[in-house]
Amino acid sequence: MYFLNFVVGGSGASTVSKVPAGSNQEQDVRSVGFSTVIRGLVATDAAGNLFSAYPRFACFGPAVVDGCVVDPGVDVINKLPVSGAAVVPIPVSGFTLANPNGPAGPSAQAMALDAQDVIVVQRVDGIVAYAPNGGAAEVLASGAFTSLAVG
């Protein structure tokens, strides 16, 4: 079971923790840079591995908009194995975050994985998918959607 922990005050950044199967102890999930702080862009696969969008550069601090993104590009989705093994970077293209200080674009709003570990992303302009090993986005649907559910 994973928990997204929101920090109150200060930076406004968030972290992810977990309670492993058969345990009642909460544990931190190792993070690489800002790998686990982008709300809505954290997902798990059927095996319990955690996937997290990794922005090029995000800014968090009291002097900026909470969650301000300086460079909205995402080149990597990190797979954090439930076993605690090394992080596996999955290279992606055409993935951007919302940027309140920059030009509008097809920014990501939510992320999920299907049963075949295809990474499905809800963007402001539609739904796209990335193969389990990453690469370019494949457009599944165009238009505006209010939520994302993958079975």
Side-chain angles (χ1 to χ4, degrees), residues 17 20 22 29 42 47 50-51 54 60-61 63 97 99 102 104 109 117-118 121 125 130:
S17 59
V29 171
V42 177
L50 187 74
F51 291 74
Y54 185 80
F60 296 90
L97 305 176
N99 184 358
Q109 298 173 318
D117 292 338
V118 171
V121 178
D125 63 346
Y130 292 93

Side-chain angles (χ1 to χ4, degrees), residues 13-38:
S14 60
T15 61
V16 172
S17 59
K18 69 180 177 180
V19 177
S23 173
N24 62 0
Q25 298 295 315
E26 186 176 5
Q27 301 174 1
D28 289 333
V29 171
R30 281 188 305 117
S31 173
V32 177
F34 289 113
S35 178
T36 60
V37 300
I38 307 301

Side-chain angles (χ1 to χ4, degrees), residues 38 41 67-72 95-103 105-109 124:
I38 307 301
L41 299 179
C68 159
V69 178
V70 174
D71 183 340
F95 194 129
T96 59
L97 305 176
N99 184 358
N101 300 322
S107 59
Q109 298 173 318
V124 297

